[in-house]
Amino acid sequence: LKVFADFNTTTSFELHPAVRTVGGPCIEESNCNWELATVCAFNQTNIAGQVQFLGCMDEKEGTAKSASKLCAKATGLDEDKIMSCFNGALGQELLKDASAAWNKAFPARAMVPNTKVNGQHVQADYKDLKTAICAAGSTSAACSNKIESDECYA
């Protein structure tokens, strides 16, 4: 969240839920329910809302449905729309789109989270991401500040 907060006005961000194949297992689960809830939420918001929702989901336990309901409330998204999408054809279409985007971005085996700056892999910690983004020419005020923490989510 901190990387996004520090660089969102000067840097383009993309989020790709880790869906290798629709109908198969996704990251750390036997199904893609967490990714399904995520793509349904992402469908109703912009990148700032997506970052907030994903940050919330990363902190939750339980089922994808229960977590997404809590995160919808916390981030101001419509939980009924998320559940309708989750249980319907739109959700499956969004999973297919997410799978295509994931496979395009990461055609080979990939770690999650997988972060890139200008197409180059960068460790998913604040210090490394900040260094890479600033070296790529960001004009963010964060580039002139001393790094205070390695924590991406601070």
Side-chain angles (χ1 to χ4, degrees), residues 38-94:
T38 300
V39 297
C40 287
F42 281 15
N43 192 51
Q44 61 174 289
T45 190
N46 60 22
I47 188 69
Q50 292 173 5
V51 168
Q52 294 299 316
F53 185 85
L54 186 59
C56 179
M57 289 290 281
D58 282 347
E59 296 174 350
K60 299 297 180 223
E61 294 182 8
T63 68
K65 284 184 177 184
S66 65
S68 68
K69 287 179 181 182
L70 293 171
C71 291
K73 287 179 185 175
T75 59
L77 298 179
D78 185 328
E79 68 180 275
D80 291 334
K81 283 185 182 178
I82 294 172
M83 286 300 103
S84 177
C85 172
F86 186 97
N87 293 314
L90 177 58
Q92 293 306 305
E93 284 301 313
L94 293 173

